[in-house]
Amino acid sequence: MTELLFSYGTLRQREVQLNVFGRELEGRPDAIVGFDLDYVTITDPHVIATSGSDRHPILRPSDREGATVEGTAFTVADAELLAADDYEVDDYQRISVPLSSGDSAWVYVFAG
């Protein structure tokens, strides 16, 4: 079974995809509404080594009218979604959201 996974950050990087999923993902441009883009400092050495940075984007709910964040909707298998869960640190939580296209997708947002 497959799912949509919306990414606005490091999961769009080829090297991260190869490390996390063992392959390059196929996706298409899309956007998420009702969130603002912010940044978080990562301390997990494996995630820093995989992404090449300790500064990662993170989504926070927004009250701002028209708040939109561009990204990519990837098709992933259930097992790959679990691999993404393992990659993301505790600052993130996975939720299901509607995208601008009308599709629903999983996305990682601020867990606080």
Side-chain angles (χ1 to χ4, degrees), residues 47-90:
V47 174
I48 294 169
T50 300
S51 69
S53 176
D54 69 345
R55 183 172 152 88
H56 286 208
I58 196 164
L59 293 179
R60 295 182 188 267
S62 178
D63 293 332
R64 206 170 42 86
E65 182 152 344
T68 303
V69 176
E70 301 291 323
T72 306
F74 293 107
T75 301
V76 296
D78 290 341
E80 291 173 323
L81 198 54
L82 296 177
D85 287 346
D86 288 341
Y87 168 75
E88 297 294 353
V89 297
D90 290 342

Side-chain angles (χ1 to χ4, degrees), residues 8-10 12 37-40 42 55-59 88 92 108:
Y8 53 90
T10 62
R12 294 190 295 175
L37 191 61
D38 197 359
Y39 290 87
V40 64
I42 302 296
R55 183 172 152 88
H56 286 208
I58 196 164
L59 293 179
E88 297 294 353
Y92 296 85
Y108 294 94

Side-chain angles (χ1 to χ4, degrees), residues 1-18 20-21 23-32 70-78 80-82 84 87-88 94-95 97 99 101 103-108:
M1 191 156 161
T2 61
E3 303 275 352
L4 281 181
L5 174 62
F6 180 77
S7 177
Y8 53 90
T10 62
L11 288 175
R12 294 190 295 175
Q13 296 174 1
R14 179 182 184 274
E15 290 305 315
V16 171
Q17 290 178 9
L18 292 175
V20 173
F21 306 111
R23 69 179 181 100
E24 280 188 75
L25 300 180
E26 302 216 3
R28 59 177 167 67
D30 213 324
I32 186 172
E70 301 291 323
T72 306
F74 293 107
T75 301
V76 296
D78 290 341
E80 291 173 323
L81 198 54
L82 296 177
Y87 168 75
E88 297 294 353
R94 179 167 48 97
I95 64 171
V97 295
L99 301 177
S101 64
D103 290 328
S104 290
W106 293 105
V107 67
Y108 294 94

